[in-house]
Amino acid sequence: DGPYHGPTWYVSTDGSDETGDGSIDLPYQTIQWAVSACSIQDTVILLPGSYEIESPIEFPEFPIIIRSSEGFPNTSIIGSQYPVLLSNTAPSICLSTIQGITFEEFSYIGQGLQYLPHFEECKFSNIEYTGGIFNMAPSDSIAQFDHCIFAQNTAHNSPIDGLFTGTSFYVNFTNCSFAWNANGIFRIDYGGVTFNNCIVRTGLGAINQTSKQANYSFIEYPDEFNISSMYECIDGQVQGSPGFVD
């Protein structure tokens, strides 16, 4: 049949980068090896298991998809001394998608990030961080998270830190859930954040204070949307705000 050429590349904890070819029968072992094999709009599928990365994932300058075969409860990328994303991500990474993966036990996903892939049906949990899980550099790009869960993460330097920190950036959350993230979600000076039908349950400061001209928008929020009183928007605007509760 000849060598395997994708366009779907498989990764398994029991696979091999040396003897594998990326097919379902001979999967690769590392995510990066599969990503490097991709052509435009190819898909990398992670079979169930826990993957520890040995360096940040280097995305190509064209769109790809990285997804699990059985969803985030069965597939995780676990923490190491390395972040998931390189700081010098190119704008093209915004065209790529990461789907159905749990990220846990990291110190951060990336620092100085200008651009992010689109995250769908992912979970971020048990991450203890300084400087933010997503430490964002100033950017006009809009990060997008759909059907994601952020749970039981801890910022060490509240109120300086949050899950997302940075001077100026934009992020949209649609159908996402935030639960018991100690010491806050955001620390942002400029930019904007939109919650569309999201659940935010009170932790120790569900949304950290923000300053200067950051804008928050709340769209179609459910009754479970509870935000702690540790919230301040100095010169920015809050649109469609639900009631803030302790």
Side-chain angles (χ1 to χ4, degrees):
D1 295 332
Y4 183 74
H5 294 294
T8 301
W9 305 90
Y10 292 89
V11 182
S12 171
T13 56
D14 297 326
S16 172
D17 294 343
E18 296 181 357
T19 60
D21 60 8
S23 65
I24 185 65
D25 296 322
L26 294 171
Y28 292 134
Q29 185 179 39
T30 63
I31 299 170
Q32 185 61 63
W33 202 269
V35 168
S36 298
C38 285
S39 298
I40 187 169
Q41 296 183 335
D42 280 4
T43 298
V44 173
I45 294 182
L46 307 187
L47 299 174
S50 294
Y51 298 83
E52 183 173 352
I53 59 173
E54 297 183 355
S55 62
I57 299 171
E58 297 188 41
F59 280 74
E61 294 185 359
F62 48 77
I64 64 170
I65 297 172
I66 301 176
R67 69 175 180 86
S68 64
S69 62
E70 296 188 14
F72 71 80
N74 300 295
T75 307
S76 62
I77 298 178
I78 60 174
S80 68
Q81 60 181 313
Y82 303 100
V84 177
L85 302 174
L86 289 169
S87 59
N88 58 343
T89 50
S92 56
I93 197 175
C94 298
L95 302 175
S96 291
T97 299
I98 298 179
Q99 184 181 59
I101 298 171
T102 291
F103 297 87
E104 57 186 346
E105 299 177 10
F106 281 89
S107 56
Y108 56 93
I109 300 297
Q111 291 187 330
L113 300 169
Q114 284 189 288
Y115 309 99
L116 291 176
H118 181 186
F119 287 91
E120 295 180 351
E121 300 174 2
C122 290
K123 182 178 181 180
F124 303 86
S125 66
N126 298 312
I127 301 175
E128 296 187 10
Y129 52 91
T130 299
I133 292 181
F134 293 90
N135 184 286
M136 305 297 296
S139 174
D140 291 331
S141 69
I142 300 176
Q144 183 70 41
F145 293 81
D146 293 332
H147 299 276
C148 291
I149 297 172
F150 300 82
Q152 296 179 317
N153 302 293
T154 302
H156 287 302
N157 291 337
S158 178
I160 298 174
D161 286 346
L163 295 179
F164 293 79
T165 62
T167 302
S168 176
F169 61 90
Y170 299 85
V171 58
N172 291 342
F173 298 98
T174 300
N175 300 315
C176 292
S177 177
F178 301 83
W180 301 106
N181 295 290
N183 298 331
I185 299 173
F186 293 103
R187 182 64 174 84
I188 171 177
D189 289 340
Y190 299 92
V193 179
T194 298
F195 296 95
N196 191 337
N197 196 33
C198 293
I199 295 173
V200 178
R201 292 189 173 90
T202 303
L204 298 177
I207 292 184
N208 251 12
Q209 66 179 17
T210 186
S211 62
K212 299 182 181 177
Q213 298 178 12
N215 300 318
Y216 287 92
S217 297
F218 302 93
I219 304 171
E220 298 181 0
Y221 53 86
D223 292 338
E224 294 90 343
F225 199 125
N226 294 329
I227 300 178
S228 79
S229 58
M230 193 174 171
Y231 179 93
E232 182 180 5
C233 195
I234 296 176
D235 292 323
Q237 298 179 356
V238 179
Q239 300 177 352
S241 172
F244 298 119
V245 299
D246 292 329

